Amino acid sequence: MTAGLDTPDRRGRTGLDQHGRDLTGNPDIRIRDVELLSSDWYVLRRTTFDQRHADGRWTTEQRETYDRGDGATILLYDAGRGTVLLTRQFRLPAYVNGHPDGMLLETAAGLLDGDAPDRAIRREAAEETGHEVGEPEHLFDLYMSPGSVTERVHFFAAPYDGSAPGTEGPHGVAAEGEDITTLELAFPRALDLIRTGGITDAKTVLLLQWAALHGPFGGGGGSEG
């Protein structure tokens, strides 16, 4: 008996080796086998498949996929005051891969956990920043690391009231080990932090660039010291 296969794992899941076996959308890919390698909080699988290449030959390939579910992220902005609201929290994977202290500036984000993307991001914005947002604007959906991670991230934007109390924090769900503070930045300063390496989180860079090109600060944003 194996947890995640024929008995429930710690999240109550079974049959985790069945995911992806019935895919038929690409005639050049034939799934042969799916192995469950780990099912702790997230799921690691190894898939064996046949692939037909451009020259017509078939080869057998193996890939590992890390499945943590889909997520959502949101840029909170105050167009009148020219500011954005970001979070700051410790990220172990960044820390062990060269980030000086692992403390990343990010847009509010989280996993869907079974909710619709717009509902999930309203929940995450409230938990991580203390701000309740109305109907967020859906921007686009992106695969952030498609070579190995299945996650698709839904991107949103919404205004926030910078004069509302409770912005400073701390925020997050303590039971999940979250210790999150917020940082309100003038939009040009946020763009400067991309250029100087102060913001290195991909989803945050994408949302700030959207804001500069097409969003509430369209037309650029200039530079401040």
Side-chain angles (χ1 to χ4, degrees), residues 89 124 126-128 170-180:
Q89 61 182 305
E124 293 296 329
E127 290 178 354
E128 295 194 357
H171 300 289
V173 180
E176 297 177 4
E178 294 181 337
D179 186 1
I180 301 172

Side-chain angles (χ1 to χ4, degrees), residues 51-131:
Q51 180 175 7
R52 179 165 54 192
H53 298 268
D55 60 4
R57 62 189 174 88
W58 287 86
T59 61
T60 299
E61 310 290 343
Q62 281 190 333
R63 298 290 186 273
E64 292 183 2
T65 58
Y66 189 59
D67 184 355
R68 59 192 304 270
D70 289 344
T73 186
I74 190 166
L75 177 66
L76 299 180
Y77 63 87
D78 187 327
R81 296 169 60 245
T83 59
V84 294
L85 188 65
L86 302 181
T87 67
R88 187 172 187 266
Q89 61 182 305
F90 177 69
R91 297 297 198 182
L92 177 64
Y95 190 40
V96 301
N97 195 30
H99 192 278
D101 60 7
M103 301 299 294
L104 266 61
L105 286 175
E106 305 178 35
T107 50
L111 297 179
L112 302 187
D113 288 333
D115 285 336
D118 58 338
R119 181 174 180 179
I121 201 54
R122 288 197 297 268
R123 178 194 70 226
E124 293 296 329
E127 290 178 354
E128 295 194 357
T129 72
H131 283 273

Side-chain angles (χ1 to χ4, degrees), residues 31 34 47 97 99 127 139 155-156 158 167 171 178 187 209:
I31 305 297
V34 179
T47 300
N97 195 30
H99 192 278
E127 290 178 354
L139 305 176
F155 285 73
F156 294 89
T167 294
H171 300 289
E178 294 181 337
F187 183 66
Q209 290 181 340

Side-chain angles (χ1 to χ4, degrees), residues 15-225:
L16 293 176
D17 62 332
Q18 300 303 305
H19 185 77
R21 288 181 179 270
D22 58 351
L23 295 175
T24 59
N26 187 338
D28 295 326
I29 301 294
R30 298 172 180 167
I31 305 297
R32 298 182 62 179
D33 189 34
V34 179
E35 301 170 76
L36 178 65
L37 302 181
S38 174
S39 64
D40 188 29
W41 193 249
Y42 305 130
V43 180
L44 180 64
R45 300 178 177 91
R46 178 168 57 218
T47 300
T48 304
F49 60 95
D50 295 331
Q51 180 175 7
R52 179 165 54 192
H53 298 268
D55 60 4
R57 62 189 174 88
W58 287 86
T59 61
T60 299
E61 310 290 343
Q62 281 190 333
R63 298 290 186 273
E64 292 183 2
T65 58
Y66 189 59
D67 184 355
R68 59 192 304 270
D70 289 344
T73 186
I74 190 166
L75 177 66
L76 299 180
Y77 63 87
D78 187 327
R81 296 169 60 245
T83 59
V84 294
L85 188 65
L86 302 181
T87 67
R88 187 172 187 266
Q89 61 182 305
F90 177 69
R91 297 297 198 182
L92 177 64
Y95 190 40
V96 301
N97 195 30
H99 192 278
D101 60 7
M103 301 299 294
L104 266 61
L105 286 175
E106 305 178 35
T107 50
L111 297 179
L112 302 187
D113 288 333
D115 285 336
D118 58 338
R119 181 174 180 179
I121 201 54
R122 288 197 297 268
R123 178 194 70 226
E124 293 296 329
E127 290 178 354
E128 295 194 357
T129 72
H131 283 273
E132 299 286 344
V133 301
E135 188 65 29
E137 177 185 0
H138 176 252
L139 305 176
F140 40 78
D141 304 327
L142 299 176
Y143 294 96
M144 299 298 288
S145 187
S148 57
V149 181
T150 62
E151 182 183 22
R152 178 174 53 187
V153 178
H154 304 268
F155 285 73
F156 294 89
Y160 76 99
D161 181 2
S163 64
T167 294
E168 295 81 6
H171 300 289
V173 180
E176 297 177 4
E178 294 181 337
D179 186 1
I180 301 172
T181 58
T182 56
L183 182 62
E184 187 177 59
L185 293 172
F187 183 66
R189 176 59 178 156
L191 292 183
D192 278 345
L193 287 173
I194 298 174
R195 290 186 280 266
T196 60
I199 293 177
T200 56
D201 174 65
K203 65 182 181 295
T204 306
V205 172
L206 286 165
L207 282 170
L208 291 172
Q209 290 181 340
W210 164 84
L213 293 172
H214 307 293
F217 308 105
S223 177
E224 287 184 358

